[in-house]
Amino acid sequence: MVPAIDMSKDVNMPVFRSDPCGITCLFLTYTAIFYADYVIVQWVVIQTMSNSLWGALHVLLFNTLVFMTLMAHIRAVFSDPGIVPLPQSRLDFSDMHAGGEKSDDWTVCARCEMYRPPRAHHCRICQRCIRRMDHHCPWINNCVGEWNQKYFLQFLTFVGLMSIYALSLIAYSWIKDCPECSKEMMVKQGRLLHSVILSMESILFGLFVIAIMCDQMQAILSDETAVEQVKRQGPYRARRPKMALLKEVCGRSHPALWIFPCTSAPFSSEPSYSLTV
């Protein structure tokens, strides 16, 4: 007898993985973000725009991006990506060969020893099946799945904007005439060193997140996750409007609200699953 799995009882639960690689990537991510904020405020704005209202405006805008980036990242890290709950009793594989039935498109996970809903896949790092799993990302120390893909996209977007903004401010600070800049050699060398390091960081992370963001958007609009692309399964459903696919990830609120990481994670528009065999 196959146990019942009631997917209608799914609840978003905070999660955290004790994966050494993921924890290291989290440390590097927050270090890079706070270092960028330090350089922009201390070595770019204060050194070159301290006597201008533009300096205060740039500090406000950049720190707003920092705050939104941190919020989106924290939500992506600790949000339940869509973990399929384990049944009360594990699957008896002998029953399957004896003629057990399951709902359409449901598959069997040999590791979790249970049936799983359509598009769910097993993550070897999380050691659980994840609904509409795209991939496991060490930079958020979590899977990117049905319930946290929105926050992952927001994180990529804000990091990309931060990178472009930081590069623009650094370039402007060196191009424009700066009579109020310090003439001390140590200060000039420190400003140059931090500008070069942050420029390299911004270029590296900017290109990296833009590439991942393009890949994520292509996966959403083609209705085919990264796992499904590797398995060459093709789009999951017949062709659907692009806005409908975006709403499945970002929610059914107004698109102008999609940039805010404080709203609840979107739930699938598909009906809840309940399997009893």
Short mmCIF file of all heavy atoms in Angstrom, two decimals, residues 108-148:
data_model
loop_
_atom_site.label_atom_id
_atom_site.label_comp_id
_atom_site.label_asym_id
_atom_site.label_seq_id
_atom_site.Cartn_x
_atom_site.Cartn_y
_atom_site.Cartn_z
N VAL A 108 8.53 8.42 -9.10
CA VAL A 108 8.99 7.80 -7.85
C VAL A 108 10.42 8.23 -7.57
O VAL A 108 11.27 8.21 -8.45
CB VAL A 108 8.92 6.26 -7.96
CG1 VAL A 108 9.56 5.62 -6.73
CG2 VAL A 108 7.49 5.81 -8.11
N CYS A 109 10.66 8.66 -6.35
CA CYS A 109 12.02 8.99 -5.92
C CYS A 109 12.55 7.81 -5.11
O CYS A 109 12.03 7.50 -4.03
CB CYS A 109 12.03 10.26 -5.07
SG CYS A 109 13.69 10.67 -4.45
N ALA A 110 13.56 7.15 -5.64
CA ALA A 110 14.12 5.98 -4.96
C ALA A 110 14.86 6.36 -3.69
O ALA A 110 14.95 5.57 -2.75
CB ALA A 110 15.05 5.24 -5.91
N ARG A 111 15.38 7.60 -3.63
CA ARG A 111 16.13 8.03 -2.45
C ARG A 111 15.18 8.38 -1.30
O ARG A 111 15.43 8.01 -0.15
CB ARG A 111 17.02 9.21 -2.78
CG ARG A 111 18.12 8.89 -3.80
CD ARG A 111 18.98 10.12 -4.05
NE ARG A 111 20.05 9.85 -5.00
CZ ARG A 111 19.94 9.98 -6.31
NH1 ARG A 111 18.77 10.37 -6.83
NH2 ARG A 111 20.96 9.72 -7.11
N CYS A 112 14.12 9.12 -1.61
CA CYS A 112 13.14 9.47 -0.57
C CYS A 112 12.12 8.37 -0.35
O CYS A 112 11.37 8.41 0.63
CB CYS A 112 12.41 10.77 -0.95
SG CYS A 112 13.45 12.23 -1.01
N GLU A 113 12.09 7.40 -1.27
CA GLU A 113 11.16 6.27 -1.20
C GLU A 113 9.71 6.77 -1.11
O GLU A 113 8.97 6.44 -0.18
CB GLU A 113 11.50 5.36 -0.01
CG GLU A 113 12.89 4.76 -0.12
CD GLU A 113 13.21 3.85 1.06
OE1 GLU A 113 12.33 3.67 1.93
OE2 GLU A 113 14.33 3.32 1.11
N MET A 114 9.34 7.56 -2.09
CA MET A 114 7.97 8.11 -2.13
C MET A 114 7.64 8.57 -3.55
O MET A 114 8.52 8.68 -4.40
CB MET A 114 7.85 9.30 -1.17
CG MET A 114 8.63 10.51 -1.61
SD MET A 114 8.33 11.94 -0.58
CE MET A 114 9.19 13.20 -1.51
N TYR A 115 6.34 8.80 -3.77
CA TYR A 115 5.91 9.45 -4.99
C TYR A 115 6.14 10.95 -4.85
O TYR A 115 6.05 11.51 -3.75
CB TYR A 115 4.43 9.19 -5.27
CG TYR A 115 4.13 7.78 -5.74
CD1 TYR A 115 3.37 6.92 -4.96
CD2 TYR A 115 4.59 7.34 -6.96
CE1 TYR A 115 3.09 5.64 -5.38
CE2 TYR A 115 4.32 6.05 -7.40
CZ TYR A 115 3.56 5.20 -6.61
OH TYR A 115 3.29 3.94 -7.05
N ARG A 116 6.44 11.61 -5.96
CA ARG A 116 6.62 13.05 -5.95
C ARG A 116 5.81 13.68 -7.08
O ARG A 116 5.62 13.05 -8.13
CB ARG A 116 8.10 13.41 -6.10
CG ARG A 116 8.74 12.87 -7.36
CD ARG A 116 10.25 13.03 -7.32
NE ARG A 116 10.87 12.43 -8.49
CZ ARG A 116 12.18 12.21 -8.63
NH1 ARG A 116 13.00 12.54 -7.64
NH2 ARG A 116 12.67 11.68 -9.72
N PRO A 117 5.36 14.92 -6.90
CA PRO A 117 4.49 15.56 -7.89
C PRO A 117 5.26 15.90 -9.17
O PRO A 117 6.49 15.83 -9.21
CB PRO A 117 4.00 16.82 -7.18
CG PRO A 117 5.05 17.10 -6.17
CD PRO A 117 5.56 15.77 -5.72
N PRO A 118 4.54 16.28 -10.22
CA PRO A 118 5.20 16.65 -11.48
C PRO A 118 6.24 17.73 -11.30
O PRO A 118 6.05 18.66 -10.51
CB PRO A 118 4.03 17.14 -12.35
CG PRO A 118 2.82 16.46 -11.80
CD PRO A 118 3.06 16.35 -10.33
N ARG A 119 7.35 17.61 -11.99
CA ARG A 119 8.44 18.56 -12.06
C ARG A 119 9.29 18.61 -10.78
O ARG A 119 10.21 19.41 -10.69
CB ARG A 119 7.94 19.98 -12.39
CG ARG A 119 7.04 20.04 -13.58
CD ARG A 119 6.76 21.47 -14.02
NE ARG A 119 7.88 22.00 -14.79
CZ ARG A 119 7.89 23.21 -15.34
NH1 ARG A 119 6.86 24.01 -15.17
NH2 ARG A 119 8.92 23.62 -16.04
N ALA A 120 8.98 17.77 -9.81
CA ALA A 120 9.82 17.71 -8.61
C ALA A 120 11.03 16.83 -8.90
O ALA A 120 10.94 15.82 -9.61
CB ALA A 120 9.02 17.15 -7.43
N HIS A 121 12.17 17.21 -8.35
CA HIS A 121 13.41 16.46 -8.54
C HIS A 121 14.15 16.37 -7.21
O HIS A 121 14.00 17.22 -6.33
CB HIS A 121 14.28 17.11 -9.60
CG HIS A 121 13.66 17.18 -10.95
ND1 HIS A 121 13.63 16.10 -11.82
CD2 HIS A 121 13.00 18.18 -11.58
CE1 HIS A 121 13.00 16.45 -12.94
NE2 HIS A 121 12.61 17.70 -12.81
N HIS A 122 14.98 15.35 -7.10
CA HIS A 122 15.73 15.13 -5.86
C HIS A 122 17.03 15.90 -5.90
O HIS A 122 17.77 15.86 -6.89
CB HIS A 122 16.03 13.64 -5.67
CG HIS A 122 16.64 13.32 -4.34
ND1 HIS A 122 15.89 13.06 -3.21
CD2 HIS A 122 17.94 13.24 -3.96
CE1 HIS A 122 16.69 12.81 -2.20
NE2 HIS A 122 17.93 12.92 -2.62
N CYS A 123 17.33 16.64 -4.83
CA CYS A 123 18.59 17.36 -4.70
C CYS A 123 19.51 16.55 -3.80
O CYS A 123 19.17 16.26 -2.66
CB CYS A 123 18.36 18.76 -4.12
SG CYS A 123 19.89 19.66 -3.79
N ARG A 124 20.69 16.22 -4.31
CA ARG A 124 21.61 15.39 -3.53
C ARG A 124 22.23 16.16 -2.37
O ARG A 124 22.72 15.56 -1.42
CB ARG A 124 22.71 14.84 -4.44
CG ARG A 124 23.58 15.91 -5.07
CD ARG A 124 24.66 15.30 -5.95
NE ARG A 124 25.50 16.30 -6.57
CZ ARG A 124 26.53 16.88 -5.96
NH1 ARG A 124 26.83 16.54 -4.71
NH2 ARG A 124 27.25 17.79 -6.58
N ILE A 125 22.23 17.51 -2.44
CA ILE A 125 22.79 18.30 -1.35
C ILE A 125 21.74 18.50 -0.26
O ILE A 125 22.02 18.32 0.93
CB ILE A 125 23.30 19.66 -1.87
CG1 ILE A 125 24.42 19.42 -2.89
CG2 ILE A 125 23.79 20.53 -0.72
CD1 ILE A 125 24.93 20.68 -3.54
N CYS A 126 20.53 18.90 -0.66
CA CYS A 126 19.44 19.07 0.32
C CYS A 126 18.91 17.73 0.80
O CYS A 126 18.27 17.65 1.85
CB CYS A 126 18.30 19.88 -0.30
SG CYS A 126 18.76 21.56 -0.78
N GLN A 127 19.13 16.67 -0.01
CA GLN A 127 18.68 15.32 0.30
C GLN A 127 17.15 15.25 0.43
O GLN A 127 16.63 14.47 1.23
CB GLN A 127 19.35 14.79 1.57
CG GLN A 127 20.86 14.68 1.44
CD GLN A 127 21.53 14.11 2.66
OE1 GLN A 127 20.89 13.86 3.68
NE2 GLN A 127 22.82 13.89 2.59
N ARG A 128 16.47 16.06 -0.35
CA ARG A 128 15.01 16.05 -0.41
C ARG A 128 14.58 16.34 -1.83
O ARG A 128 15.33 16.90 -2.63
CB ARG A 128 14.42 17.09 0.54
CG ARG A 128 14.65 16.81 2.01
CD ARG A 128 13.87 15.62 2.51
NE ARG A 128 12.44 15.87 2.45
CZ ARG A 128 11.75 16.49 3.40
NH1 ARG A 128 12.37 16.94 4.49
NH2 ARG A 128 10.46 16.67 3.29
N CYS A 129 13.33 16.01 -2.14
CA CYS A 129 12.76 16.35 -3.43
C CYS A 129 12.21 17.77 -3.37
O CYS A 129 11.57 18.16 -2.38
CB CYS A 129 11.66 15.36 -3.81
SG CYS A 129 12.28 13.74 -4.29
N ILE A 130 12.44 18.54 -4.43
CA ILE A 130 12.05 19.95 -4.48
C ILE A 130 11.08 20.17 -5.64
O ILE A 130 11.36 19.74 -6.77
CB ILE A 130 13.28 20.87 -4.67
CG1 ILE A 130 14.37 20.54 -3.64
CG2 ILE A 130 12.87 22.33 -4.61
CD1 ILE A 130 13.97 20.78 -2.23
N ARG A 131 9.97 20.82 -5.36
CA ARG A 131 8.99 21.12 -6.39
C ARG A 131 9.57 22.10 -7.41
O ARG A 131 10.17 23.09 -7.05
CB ARG A 131 7.72 21.73 -5.76
CG ARG A 131 6.97 20.76 -4.86
CD ARG A 131 5.96 21.48 -4.00
NE ARG A 131 4.98 22.21 -4.79
CZ ARG A 131 3.66 22.04 -4.69
NH1 ARG A 131 3.18 21.15 -3.85
NH2 ARG A 131 2.83 22.75 -5.41
N ARG A 132 9.36 21.78 -8.68
CA ARG A 132 9.84 22.59 -9.81
C ARG A 132 11.28 23.06 -9.56
O ARG A 132 11.62 24.23 -9.70
CB ARG A 132 8.92 23.78 -10.08
CG ARG A 132 9.01 24.28 -11.53
CD ARG A 132 8.00 25.38 -11.80
NE ARG A 132 8.35 26.61 -11.09
CZ ARG A 132 7.50 27.58 -10.82
NH1 ARG A 132 6.23 27.45 -11.16
NH2 ARG A 132 7.90 28.68 -10.20
N MET A 133 12.12 22.11 -9.23
CA MET A 133 13.51 22.43 -8.94
C MET A 133 14.23 22.88 -10.19
O MET A 133 14.18 22.21 -11.23
CB MET A 133 14.21 21.21 -8.33
CG MET A 133 15.70 21.41 -8.12
SD MET A 133 16.48 19.93 -7.46
CE MET A 133 18.21 20.35 -7.64
N ASP A 134 14.94 24.02 -10.10
CA ASP A 134 15.75 24.48 -11.21
C ASP A 134 17.20 24.02 -11.04
O ASP A 134 17.76 23.38 -11.92
CB ASP A 134 15.68 26.01 -11.32
CG ASP A 134 16.36 26.53 -12.56
OD1 ASP A 134 15.71 26.55 -13.63
OD2 ASP A 134 17.55 26.90 -12.49
N HIS A 135 17.79 24.36 -9.91
CA HIS A 135 19.15 23.91 -9.60
C HIS A 135 19.44 24.22 -8.14
O HIS A 135 18.70 24.96 -7.49
CB HIS A 135 20.18 24.59 -10.51
CG HIS A 135 20.34 26.06 -10.25
ND1 HIS A 135 19.39 26.99 -10.63
CD2 HIS A 135 21.33 26.77 -9.64
CE1 HIS A 135 19.78 28.21 -10.28
NE2 HIS A 135 20.95 28.10 -9.67
N HIS A 136 20.52 23.65 -7.64
CA HIS A 136 20.98 24.00 -6.29
C HIS A 136 22.06 25.06 -6.45
O HIS A 136 23.06 24.85 -7.15
CB HIS A 136 21.54 22.79 -5.55
CG HIS A 136 21.92 23.09 -4.13
ND1 HIS A 136 21.07 22.88 -3.06
CD2 HIS A 136 23.07 23.62 -3.61
CE1 HIS A 136 21.67 23.26 -1.94
NE2 HIS A 136 22.88 23.71 -2.25
N CYS A 137 21.88 26.19 -5.78
CA CYS A 137 22.82 27.31 -5.92
C CYS A 137 23.62 27.49 -4.63
O CYS A 137 23.04 27.81 -3.58
CB CYS A 137 22.05 28.60 -6.25
SG CYS A 137 23.14 30.05 -6.40
N PRO A 138 24.93 27.32 -4.67
CA PRO A 138 25.73 27.50 -3.45
C PRO A 138 25.75 28.94 -2.97
O PRO A 138 25.98 29.19 -1.79
CB PRO A 138 27.13 27.04 -3.88
CG PRO A 138 27.16 27.19 -5.36
CD PRO A 138 25.76 26.90 -5.82
N TRP A 139 25.47 29.90 -3.86
CA TRP A 139 25.51 31.32 -3.47
C TRP A 139 24.33 31.69 -2.58
O TRP A 139 24.36 32.74 -1.92
CB TRP A 139 25.56 32.21 -4.70
CG TRP A 139 26.83 32.03 -5.46
CD1 TRP A 139 27.00 31.32 -6.61
CD2 TRP A 139 28.13 32.52 -5.10
NE1 TRP A 139 28.32 31.34 -6.99
CE2 TRP A 139 29.03 32.08 -6.08
CE3 TRP A 139 28.61 33.30 -4.04
CZ2 TRP A 139 30.40 32.38 -6.04
CZ3 TRP A 139 29.96 33.60 -4.00
CH2 TRP A 139 30.83 33.15 -4.99
N ILE A 140 23.29 30.89 -2.56
CA ILE A 140 22.20 31.09 -1.60
C ILE A 140 22.11 29.90 -0.64
O ILE A 140 21.21 29.86 0.20
CB ILE A 140 20.85 31.33 -2.29
CG1 ILE A 140 20.41 30.09 -3.10
CG2 ILE A 140 20.90 32.56 -3.17
CD1 ILE A 140 18.99 30.19 -3.64
N ASN A 141 23.03 28.95 -0.80
CA ASN A 141 23.05 27.76 0.07
C ASN A 141 21.68 27.10 0.13
O ASN A 141 21.23 26.66 1.20
CB ASN A 141 23.52 28.14 1.49
CG ASN A 141 23.85 26.92 2.34
OD1 ASN A 141 24.30 25.90 1.83
ND2 ASN A 141 23.58 27.01 3.63
N ASN A 142 21.03 27.02 -1.02
CA ASN A 142 19.67 26.49 -1.07
C ASN A 142 19.35 26.11 -2.50
O ASN A 142 20.05 26.51 -3.43
CB ASN A 142 18.68 27.54 -0.56
CG ASN A 142 17.35 26.94 -0.12
OD1 ASN A 142 17.13 25.73 -0.23
ND2 ASN A 142 16.46 27.78 0.37
N CYS A 143 18.30 25.35 -2.66
CA CYS A 143 17.81 25.06 -4.00
C CYS A 143 17.01 26.25 -4.52
O CYS A 143 16.41 27.00 -3.76
CB CYS A 143 16.91 23.82 -4.00
SG CYS A 143 17.83 22.26 -4.09
N VAL A 144 17.00 26.41 -5.83
CA VAL A 144 16.10 27.36 -6.48
C VAL A 144 14.91 26.55 -6.97
O VAL A 144 15.05 25.71 -7.87
CB VAL A 144 16.79 28.08 -7.65
CG1 VAL A 144 15.81 29.01 -8.36
CG2 VAL A 144 18.00 28.85 -7.17
N GLY A 145 13.77 26.77 -6.32
CA GLY A 145 12.59 25.98 -6.64
C GLY A 145 11.35 26.83 -6.78
O GLY A 145 11.41 28.06 -6.92
N GLU A 146 10.22 26.18 -6.70
CA GLU A 146 8.94 26.84 -6.97
C GLU A 146 8.66 28.01 -6.04
O GLU A 146 8.08 29.02 -6.47
CB GLU A 146 7.81 25.80 -6.84
CG GLU A 146 6.44 26.34 -7.13
CD GLU A 146 5.38 25.27 -7.12
OE1 GLU A 146 5.73 24.06 -7.07
OE2 GLU A 146 4.19 25.61 -7.15
N TRP A 147 9.08 27.95 -4.80
CA TRP A 147 8.67 28.95 -3.81
C TRP A 147 9.71 30.02 -3.51
O TRP A 147 9.42 30.96 -2.76
CB TRP A 147 8.27 28.26 -2.50
CG TRP A 147 7.00 27.48 -2.63
CD1 TRP A 147 6.08 27.54 -3.66
CD2 TRP A 147 6.50 26.50 -1.72
NE1 TRP A 147 5.06 26.67 -3.45
CE2 TRP A 147 5.29 26.01 -2.25
CE3 TRP A 147 6.96 26.00 -0.50
CZ2 TRP A 147 4.53 25.04 -1.61
CZ3 TRP A 147 6.21 25.03 0.12
CH2 TRP A 147 5.00 24.56 -0.42
N ASN A 148 10.92 29.89 -4.04
CA ASN A 148 11.92 30.94 -3.78
C ASN A 148 12.62 31.44 -5.04
O ASN A 148 13.57 32.22 -4.95
CB ASN A 148 12.96 30.46 -2.77
CG ASN A 148 13.90 29.41 -3.34
OD1 ASN A 148 13.60 28.79 -4.37
ND2 ASN A 148 15.02 29.20 -2.69
#
